[in-house]
Amino acid sequence: MKPVLYSALLVLLKGYLKLVWATARVTVDAGPLRDRALADGVGMVYGIWHGRMLFATRDLFSGMKFTVIVSRSEDGAGATRILDAWGIGAIRGSSASQRNPSKDKGGREALSGAIGFLKDTPNGALGLTPDGPRGPRFTCKPGIAAIASRAGRPVVVVGASASPAIEVRSWDRFLVPLPFARIAIRWSEPLDPPEDLGRDAVDAYLDRINNALRAKTREADEICGRTARLAELA
């Protein structure tokens, strides 16, 4: 894509999202944690499903500072340009493909970079889409638990939904809120990592994260009257 067209796309996307947040009826349940996060960021991992990532822009526009992990794919390269234009840091890499687990996708480098970022940035917020970049949908991969555990930082998961909205026919059923939509955002309490870094403890922590993110997303979907995905979120 030519730079001028890309710049125009960025302007349109940002303008559209600002229109959504300016006109939407938004209900947020986050408690004091969100106020603290928006004031100066906090040392935490911020998890939201890949298909609901647009809802994180509300926190972005409100002043929250993110660094995120982005795949090394062509889609990831495009996403990185968008993130850079909006002042969001990017760590490149993703987990290996289930079809070709031997293929190097930069997962180890991303893991090391994310842990380093959290340890070196006391108020850093690392944004993750734990079912990305290719699914399965609504199922957390191990990376989010591994990063938080080894960095010693809590995970906060964010469930979000909207109605009316466009649901894209992609693997993640990407949800695009429409102007004047009803939007529900539900933050979890901080999920502290285990002191024991053994496999069983970290696996149990991953289950806690997965269950919390499903529950918060289900809660948001119910508020917005979206019932099509509730069985997947049980």
Side-chain angles (χ1 to χ4, degrees), residues 22-47:
T23 61
R25 294 169 293 149
V26 184
T27 60
V28 180
D29 180 10
L33 178 64
R34 181 176 179 276
D35 293 336
R36 178 188 165 200
L38 297 184
D40 194 27
V42 295
M44 69 175 185
V45 178
Y46 176 110

Short mmCIF file of all heavy atoms in Angstrom, two decimals, residues 22-47:
data_model
loop_
_atom_site.label_atom_id
_atom_site.label_comp_id
_atom_site.label_asym_id
_atom_site.label_seq_id
_atom_site.Cartn_x
_atom_site.Cartn_y
_atom_site.Cartn_z
N ALA A 22 -17.37 8.70 21.10
CA ALA A 22 -18.08 9.94 21.40
C ALA A 22 -19.58 9.75 21.42
O ALA A 22 -20.30 10.49 22.12
CB ALA A 22 -17.69 11.02 20.39
N THR A 23 -20.08 8.78 20.67
CA THR A 23 -21.53 8.61 20.54
C THR A 23 -22.08 7.39 21.28
O THR A 23 -23.29 7.29 21.49
CB THR A 23 -21.93 8.49 19.05
OG1 THR A 23 -21.27 7.33 18.48
CG2 THR A 23 -21.52 9.73 18.28
N ALA A 24 -21.21 6.47 21.67
CA ALA A 24 -21.67 5.22 22.27
C ALA A 24 -22.18 5.43 23.69
O ALA A 24 -21.77 6.36 24.40
CB ALA A 24 -20.54 4.20 22.27
N ARG A 25 -23.07 4.54 24.08
CA ARG A 25 -23.51 4.46 25.48
C ARG A 25 -22.65 3.39 26.15
O ARG A 25 -22.87 2.20 25.97
CB ARG A 25 -24.99 4.08 25.56
CG ARG A 25 -25.94 5.13 24.98
CD ARG A 25 -27.34 4.57 24.85
NE ARG A 25 -27.41 3.51 23.84
CZ ARG A 25 -28.24 2.48 23.89
NH1 ARG A 25 -29.08 2.35 24.90
NH2 ARG A 25 -28.23 1.57 22.93
N VAL A 26 -21.67 3.86 26.92
CA VAL A 26 -20.64 2.96 27.45
C VAL A 26 -20.84 2.74 28.94
O VAL A 26 -21.01 3.69 29.71
CB VAL A 26 -19.23 3.54 27.21
CG1 VAL A 26 -18.17 2.55 27.67
CG2 VAL A 26 -19.04 3.89 25.73
N THR A 27 -20.82 1.48 29.34
CA THR A 27 -20.80 1.14 30.76
C THR A 27 -19.51 0.39 31.04
O THR A 27 -19.16 -0.56 30.35
CB THR A 27 -22.00 0.26 31.15
OG1 THR A 27 -21.98 -0.96 30.40
CG2 THR A 27 -23.30 0.99 30.89
N VAL A 28 -18.79 0.86 32.06
CA VAL A 28 -17.49 0.28 32.41
C VAL A 28 -17.53 -0.16 33.86
O VAL A 28 -17.95 0.59 34.74
CB VAL A 28 -16.34 1.28 32.21
CG1 VAL A 28 -15.01 0.66 32.58
CG2 VAL A 28 -16.31 1.78 30.77
N ASP A 29 -17.10 -1.39 34.10
CA ASP A 29 -16.94 -1.91 35.46
C ASP A 29 -15.47 -2.26 35.64
O ASP A 29 -15.00 -3.27 35.13
CB ASP A 29 -17.82 -3.14 35.67
CG ASP A 29 -17.70 -3.71 37.08
OD1 ASP A 29 -17.08 -3.04 37.91
OD2 ASP A 29 -18.21 -4.81 37.33
N ALA A 30 -14.74 -1.37 36.33
CA ALA A 30 -13.31 -1.59 36.48
C ALA A 30 -12.82 -1.29 37.88
O ALA A 30 -11.75 -1.75 38.26
CB ALA A 30 -12.54 -0.74 35.48
N GLY A 31 -13.60 -0.54 38.66
CA GLY A 31 -13.15 -0.19 40.00
C GLY A 31 -11.97 0.75 39.98
O GLY A 31 -11.65 1.37 38.96
N PRO A 32 -11.25 0.86 41.09
CA PRO A 32 -10.14 1.81 41.18
C PRO A 32 -8.95 1.44 40.31
O PRO A 32 -8.11 2.29 40.02
CB PRO A 32 -9.76 1.76 42.67
CG PRO A 32 -10.21 0.41 43.13
CD PRO A 32 -11.47 0.13 42.35
N LEU A 33 -8.85 0.18 39.88
CA LEU A 33 -7.70 -0.24 39.09
C LEU A 33 -7.60 0.55 37.80
O LEU A 33 -6.54 1.00 37.40
CB LEU A 33 -7.78 -1.73 38.78
CG LEU A 33 -6.64 -2.28 37.92
CD1 LEU A 33 -5.31 -2.15 38.66
CD2 LEU A 33 -6.90 -3.72 37.55
N ARG A 34 -8.72 0.75 37.12
CA ARG A 34 -8.68 1.47 35.85
C ARG A 34 -8.26 2.92 36.06
O ARG A 34 -7.49 3.48 35.27
CB ARG A 34 -10.05 1.42 35.17
CG ARG A 34 -10.06 2.14 33.83
CD ARG A 34 -11.41 1.98 33.14
NE ARG A 34 -11.40 2.68 31.88
CZ ARG A 34 -11.66 3.99 31.75
NH1 ARG A 34 -11.94 4.72 32.81
NH2 ARG A 34 -11.63 4.56 30.57
N ASP A 35 -8.76 3.55 37.12
CA ASP A 35 -8.37 4.93 37.39
C ASP A 35 -6.87 5.03 37.58
O ASP A 35 -6.22 5.95 37.08
CB ASP A 35 -9.10 5.45 38.63
CG ASP A 35 -10.59 5.57 38.40
OD1 ASP A 35 -11.00 5.70 37.23
OD2 ASP A 35 -11.35 5.54 39.39
N ARG A 36 -6.31 4.08 38.31
CA ARG A 36 -4.87 4.08 38.53
C ARG A 36 -4.12 3.84 37.22
O ARG A 36 -3.14 4.49 36.92
CB ARG A 36 -4.50 3.00 39.54
CG ARG A 36 -3.01 2.88 39.81
CD ARG A 36 -2.70 1.68 40.67
NE ARG A 36 -1.27 1.38 40.62
CZ ARG A 36 -0.74 0.21 40.95
NH1 ARG A 36 -1.54 -0.77 41.32
NH2 ARG A 36 0.56 0.01 40.89
N ALA A 37 -4.63 2.90 36.44
CA ALA A 37 -3.97 2.57 35.18
C ALA A 37 -3.95 3.76 34.23
O ALA A 37 -2.95 4.05 33.58
CB ALA A 37 -4.67 1.39 34.52
N LEU A 38 -5.06 4.47 34.15
CA LEU A 38 -5.16 5.59 33.23
C LEU A 38 -4.39 6.80 33.73
O LEU A 38 -4.01 7.67 32.96
CB LEU A 38 -6.62 5.95 33.00
CG LEU A 38 -7.45 4.85 32.32
CD1 LEU A 38 -8.87 5.34 32.05
CD2 LEU A 38 -6.82 4.38 31.03
N ALA A 39 -4.18 6.88 35.04
CA ALA A 39 -3.44 8.01 35.59
C ALA A 39 -1.96 7.93 35.21
O ALA A 39 -1.36 8.92 34.80
CB ALA A 39 -3.60 8.06 37.11
N ASP A 40 -1.37 6.74 35.34
CA ASP A 40 0.06 6.66 35.08
C ASP A 40 0.49 5.27 34.60
O ASP A 40 1.67 4.96 34.62
CB ASP A 40 0.83 7.01 36.36
CG ASP A 40 2.30 7.29 36.10
OD1 ASP A 40 2.62 7.70 34.96
OD2 ASP A 40 3.12 7.07 37.00
N GLY A 41 -0.45 4.45 34.20
CA GLY A 41 -0.09 3.09 33.82
C GLY A 41 0.26 2.28 35.06
O GLY A 41 0.58 2.83 36.11
N VAL A 42 0.18 0.98 34.96
CA VAL A 42 0.56 0.12 36.07
C VAL A 42 1.35 -1.05 35.50
O VAL A 42 1.28 -1.34 34.31
CB VAL A 42 -0.67 -0.41 36.84
CG1 VAL A 42 -1.41 0.71 37.52
CG2 VAL A 42 -1.61 -1.16 35.93
N GLY A 43 2.11 -1.67 36.37
CA GLY A 43 2.86 -2.83 35.94
C GLY A 43 1.95 -4.03 35.82
O GLY A 43 1.71 -4.72 36.81
N MET A 44 1.43 -4.29 34.63
CA MET A 44 0.46 -5.37 34.48
C MET A 44 0.44 -5.86 33.04
O MET A 44 0.93 -5.20 32.12
CB MET A 44 -0.94 -4.90 34.87
CG MET A 44 -1.53 -3.89 33.92
SD MET A 44 -3.25 -3.48 34.34
CE MET A 44 -3.67 -2.42 32.96
N VAL A 45 -0.16 -7.03 32.88
CA VAL A 45 -0.47 -7.56 31.56
C VAL A 45 -1.96 -7.36 31.33
O VAL A 45 -2.79 -7.77 32.15
CB VAL A 45 -0.12 -9.06 31.47
CG1 VAL A 45 -0.49 -9.61 30.10
CG2 VAL A 45 1.37 -9.28 31.74
N TYR A 46 -2.31 -6.72 30.22
CA TYR A 46 -3.69 -6.38 29.88
C TYR A 46 -4.14 -7.34 28.78
O TYR A 46 -3.61 -7.30 27.66
CB TYR A 46 -3.70 -4.93 29.39
CG TYR A 46 -4.99 -4.33 28.89
CD1 TYR A 46 -5.66 -3.35 29.61
CD2 TYR A 46 -5.52 -4.68 27.63
CE1 TYR A 46 -6.80 -2.73 29.12
CE2 TYR A 46 -6.67 -4.08 27.14
CZ TYR A 46 -7.31 -3.11 27.90
OH TYR A 46 -8.44 -2.50 27.40
N GLY A 47 -5.09 -8.24 29.09
CA GLY A 47 -5.50 -9.25 28.13
C GLY A 47 -6.91 -9.02 27.61
O GLY A 47 -7.83 -8.76 28.38
#
